[in-house]
Amino acid sequence: MSKRSMSKIAVTGCGCICAAGADTDAVWRAIQAGLVNNRADSNHLFLEREDVPVFAVPHLALPAIFAEAVAERAAGGELNRTIILTLTAVAEAIGAANLTVAQLRTKRVGIALGTTVGCTFNNEDYYIQWQKGESPDPGPVHRYLSANLAERVQDILGVRGPRAVVTNACASGTDAIGLAKMWLDHDLCDLAIAGGADELSRIACQGFNSLMLVSQNSCTPFGAKRDGLNLGEGAGILCLEKEAEATASQREIKGWVCGYGAANDAYHPTAPHPEGRGLQDAVSQALAAAGLGLADISLINAHGTGTPANDRAETAALSALGLGEETTPIVSTKGATGHTLGAAGGIEAVLTLLALGSGKVSGTIGCHTPDPELAVPVLSAGEEARLSGRMGISQSLAFGGGNSALVLEGGGP
Amino acid sequence: MKAIVTRATHISQEEIDLPPELLRHLRRADDFIKLGVLAAFGALEGKTAIPWENPQRCGLFLGSSFGPMETNFAVLDQIVGGQQTSPTLFSHSVFNAAVGYLCRIFNLRGSALTLTDFALPFCQALQQGALAIESGLLERCLVLQVETYSALLNDARRKISPGEAGTWPEGAVCWLLEREDLCQTGGPVLHAVDIAETQGGSYLESGGQLSHNGQEITFNHPLAPAALLTDILNSKKDSGDWRLITPYARVDISLRDPK
């Protein structure tokens, strides 16, 4: 019987951008302050429900450190928004790790990124012209063919190593971090840049709307009157290294990825299993890989979308795993970020590490009255909990029955 | 612990013929999903549920260059046409919809991921599948590539790369990998999958070369490398070293006879 690896992978840098802030510190401060920076979309995302709030990144620009590399690679064409979001978080993560692009080029660097929208051809102007039998300018086709997220980031960084774009819907970012951990465990690379990114898109907005999963108000994850999610956009990136290498390079370790688990519900195309059976399996695997039990966990950063089915299934799974009335704080950060789809796992891993490192966590923004029917209690808006330890879980659920979980350890003094 | 390649199947779009036991599951599915399920059905020798204990340790890795592109456009059609979006169509346009079907039909409850890359996605999925078994995450897994393209893509190819003849054939490939100590039927050991990406190739010109045992075979569409590997594996039950070379990547796959 094979034993799961129990190595810890060091997190030497984090990067994050979403509607709550343009970098990790800004997002963290916004969550602690309980800020909700969503806005009603009045232009094009929702045709029929114009007042639906979304969490859009207000200002986005290509990070200066990549300007030259992007200009040199003009053949690739214009960068889409998902790639710019990714590069923004990558720039912050490698900066936080005290790494330069030149240093990265001396290493085997794995790139594992989750996305949903970033892999699709969704240029409506081209599509409409083509449908009419016209011959549209082929630029959008070239841009699509040069927009594979991991390939483009690999190219702009000028690095070599394994790469993967995980398109596992809303669990993509968590799975990408899990894959990167496996690469490092098996010496496929020296360092990995992993996480997720997604931009707001009309197809996703209309699609979630068609499934009656979108709230017309600010979302209230775990709330008694929750009625759906708010979509968002952003990116969350970790810079991962083998602990020995990070220590030898005297890089500050901000935390660790200790375990990863993934499992499928094998139940329904879009709804989670009512008891969250796949999530139970994923969390159990991640804990086993980390050599821990649920009692060792001090924080659970849940998927917590604010849809009735997700929040019910997720808390049911945690209850079935043995979590009771006691103490482990369960929170969702989507009240501050929106549901950023493929980015969610990356952003939430960053926020989990920050909370574990600081020793405290703020309650779920938007959840003023928790649903009393949930199988385990959650931390409400306005509450704050001191954490009993440095180990936590960041978990994701996805269309297609996907579930994944990371066991993370916070760094700090 | 290494992985054994127990079975391998290749199915083309023309071969979509749903057996009665799959009809109910696939009545609303698009061709992308049907091809994936049929390829897996072949690799599992016509079973609709895996015969092994521990379904939590059985998973899959599905690679694709283009994903369910036509279904994506069907959703876009509704949006630009001002129609209501069909929830079924939207859920099928999500890249891992096929993985969801595969897991439900065959009761695969382990790690199940979709990987999207224009460059040799089957090899990427194969590498991850082997790693999942070696790491202990899974005991068995299906490794697939599914491609269905779209009319828009075919038209763009004709205009941008007029030298490229014909439309790319749609289809799917599926390999079953099993952990060495659990495999009862035998098969070559997947010793290594080494992928080296290169730059500069156009993904609309999907030509390349497979070298194996002194033979060199050329190919010219995104599914062809996986289909060729599968067809040779099935005809000769061959182990040995295989090298795939394209303008955008080089992959070395090493298959060894079991000890």
Side-chain angles (χ1 to χ4, degrees), chain A residues 127 131 151 163 167-168 399, chain B residues 77 96 112 114 116-117 155 203:
Chain A
Y127 185 69
Q131 260 194 331
E151 179 184 4
R163 73 167 188 235
T167 45
N168 246 39
F399 278 8
Chain B
D77 270 338
N96 69 330
T114 303
T116 304
D117 202 306
D155 192 48
Y203 294 120

Side-chain angles (χ1 to χ4, degrees), chain A residues 4 127 130-131 144 148 151 163 165 167-168 182-183 202 207 210 262-264 266-269 281 285 399-400, chain B residues 56 66 77 79 85 90 96 100 103-104 109-117 124 128 136-137 152 155 197 203:
Chain A
R4 292 288 305 279
Y127 185 69
W130 174 80
Q131 260 194 331
Y144 162 66
N148 179 278
E151 179 184 4
R163 73 167 188 235
V165 170
T167 45
N168 246 39
M182 284 205 288
W183 293 346
R202 215 146 80 98
S210 75
N264 197 282
Y267 173 70
H268 190 272
D281 292 337
Q285 286 175 31
F399 278 8
Chain B
Q56 293 91 336
F66 296 95
D77 270 338
I79 292 172
T85 307
F90 171 66
N96 69 330
C103 288
R104 274 201 313 286
R109 290 180 50 197
S111 173
L113 301 189
T114 303
L115 304 171
T116 304
D117 202 306
Q124 293 207 358
Q128 298 311 322
L137 184 66
L152 180 147
D155 192 48
E197 276 96 7
Y203 294 120

Side-chain angles (χ1 to χ4, degrees), chain A residues 134-150:
Chain A
E134 297 171 10
S135 289
D137 178 277
V141 176
H142 291 299
R143 279 199 288 282
Y144 162 66
L145 293 169
S146 64
N148 179 278
L149 198 53

Side-chain angles (χ1 to χ4, degrees), chain A residues 1-5 47-48 116 119-124 126-128 130-131 133-136 138 141-142 144-148 150-151 154-155 160-169 175 179 182-183 186 188 202-208 210-211 260-270 277-278 281 285 288 398-402, chain B residues 1 54 56-57 61 65-67 69-70 72-77 79-80 82-88 90-97 99-101 103-105 107-119 124 127-128 131-139 151-153 155-156 159-160 179 181 195 197-199 202-204 248:
Chain A
M1 181 79 182
S2 276
K3 287 256 167 55
R4 292 288 305 279
S5 154
L47 293 176
E48 291 155 15
T116 61
C119 273
T120 54
F121 182 94
N122 53 13
N123 188 297
E124 290 183 27
Y126 182 98
Y127 185 69
I128 292 167
W130 174 80
Q131 260 194 331
E134 297 171 10
S135 289
V141 176
H142 291 299
Y144 162 66
L145 293 169
S146 64
N148 179 278
E151 179 184 4
Q154 195 178 45
D155 182 40
R160 291 286 172 268
R163 73 167 188 235
V165 170
V166 180
T167 45
N168 246 39
D175 287 315
L179 281 193
M182 284 205 288
W183 293 346
H186 288 77
L188 264 60
R202 215 146 80 98
I203 290 185
C205 289
Q206 296 283 324
F208 276 89
S210 75
L211 288 159
Y260 163 64
N264 197 282
D265 285 340
Y267 173 70
H268 190 272
T270 55
R277 72 175 179 189
D281 292 337
Q285 286 175 31
F399 278 8
Chain B
M1 193 75 72
N54 223 355
Q56 293 91 336
R57 292 288 187 199
F61 291 84
S65 292
F66 296 95
M69 205 177 191
E70 202 64 85
N72 242 287
F73 289 140
V75 176
L76 198 52
D77 270 338
I79 292 172
V80 299
Q83 302 165 38
Q84 201 154 19
T85 307
S86 154
T88 302
F90 171 66
S91 67
H92 288 172
S93 76
V94 176
F95 272 47
N96 69 330
V99 161
Y101 268 84
C103 288
R104 274 201 313 286
I105 292 171
N107 193 33
L108 301 162
R109 290 180 50 197
S111 173
L113 301 189
T114 303
L115 304 171
T116 304
D117 202 306
F118 295 115
Q124 293 207 358
Q127 186 181 48
Q128 298 311 322
L131 208 54
I133 287 179
E134 283 178 39
S135 70
L137 184 66
L138 295 174
E139 294 173 350
L152 180 147
L153 186 70
D155 192 48
K159 288 173 179 158
I160 297 170
R179 209 175 70 195
D181 60 327
I195 302 174
E197 276 96 7
T198 51
Q199 298 292 331
S202 162
Y203 294 120
L204 291 179
Y248 39 80

Side-chain angles (χ1 to χ4, degrees), chain B residues 142-157:
Chain B
L142 299 175
V143 175
L144 298 101
Q145 183 180 350
V146 184
E147 301 296 350
T148 51
Y149 317 114
S150 69
L152 180 147
L153 186 70
N154 288 327
D155 192 48
R157 281 185 62 235

